[in-house]
Amino acid sequence: MPITLRHAAPAAALFASLSIAQAFPQDGQFYQGFSCPAEGFTPGGERTASLAFPTLCLFEQCCDLSNPINVRDMDQIFLYDGACTAEGNDFEARLLVGEASIDGLVVVLNNNAYTYARCEP
C-alpha cells in the first residue's frame, strides 16, 4: 500500500472526530430550564447535567456517547449511541444531543426532551 494511502485513513478519522467535537457544545455544568437558578447552582442536583465530551451525565445517569450522526438540516444536533449507567445498571440508549439556542444543551432520551442552560463553563 502506498505511504500516502496508509496515512490518509487515520488522518481522515482524526479530522472527522475533531469536527464532531468542535461542533458539540462546550464541556460544562448545566441546569434544566432556560436559565440557571437565581439562588445559586449546585452541580449534581436533580435538574442538573454535566458534559465532559464524550460523557454526558443527567442527574443519576451517565452515558458515553459514540457513533454521531448529524441530523439533516440541523447543524448542531446529533444522534448518538449511548453506553449508559444508572443506579448500578448498564443499558444502551439512543440520544439526540445538541446545542440549545440559550447557550446550553438539548437532550432527548427515553422519549423525554430536556433543555439545559449553561451555568458554569
Side-chain angles (χ1 to χ4, degrees):
M1 175 184 296
I3 284 182
T4 55
L5 289 179
R6 223 179 313 160
H7 294 289
L14 176 63
F15 178 74
S17 66
L18 288 176
S19 62
I20 295 298
Q22 289 171 347
F24 204 79
Q26 292 180 357
D27 292 354
Q29 302 291 326
F30 302 87
Y31 187 77
Q32 188 177 347
F34 295 107
S35 63
C36 291
E39 66 276 357
F41 174 74
T42 305
E46 185 174 327
R47 297 180 60 182
T48 65
S50 65
L51 174 64
F53 194 78
T55 301
L56 173 65
C57 295
L58 309 171
F59 185 42
E60 294 181 340
Q61 63 187 12
C62 290
C63 297
D64 289 327
L65 306 176
S66 64
N67 192 27
I69 298 172
N70 188 236
V71 177
R72 182 177 38 134
D73 295 331
M74 300 176 88
D75 293 335
Q76 303 299 319
I77 305 291
F78 296 89
L79 286 170
Y80 288 92
D81 293 330
C84 306
T85 59
E87 299 177 0
N89 296 316
D90 295 338
F91 62 98
E92 298 293 318
R94 193 77 166 135
L95 294 90
L96 182 137
V97 182
E99 282 187 359
S101 61
I102 58 166
D103 185 25
L105 294 174
V106 173
V107 179
V108 177
L109 173 64
N110 296 331
N111 297 323
N112 294 299
Y114 306 96
T115 299
Y116 293 91
R118 180 180 302 281
C119 291
E120 296 178 0

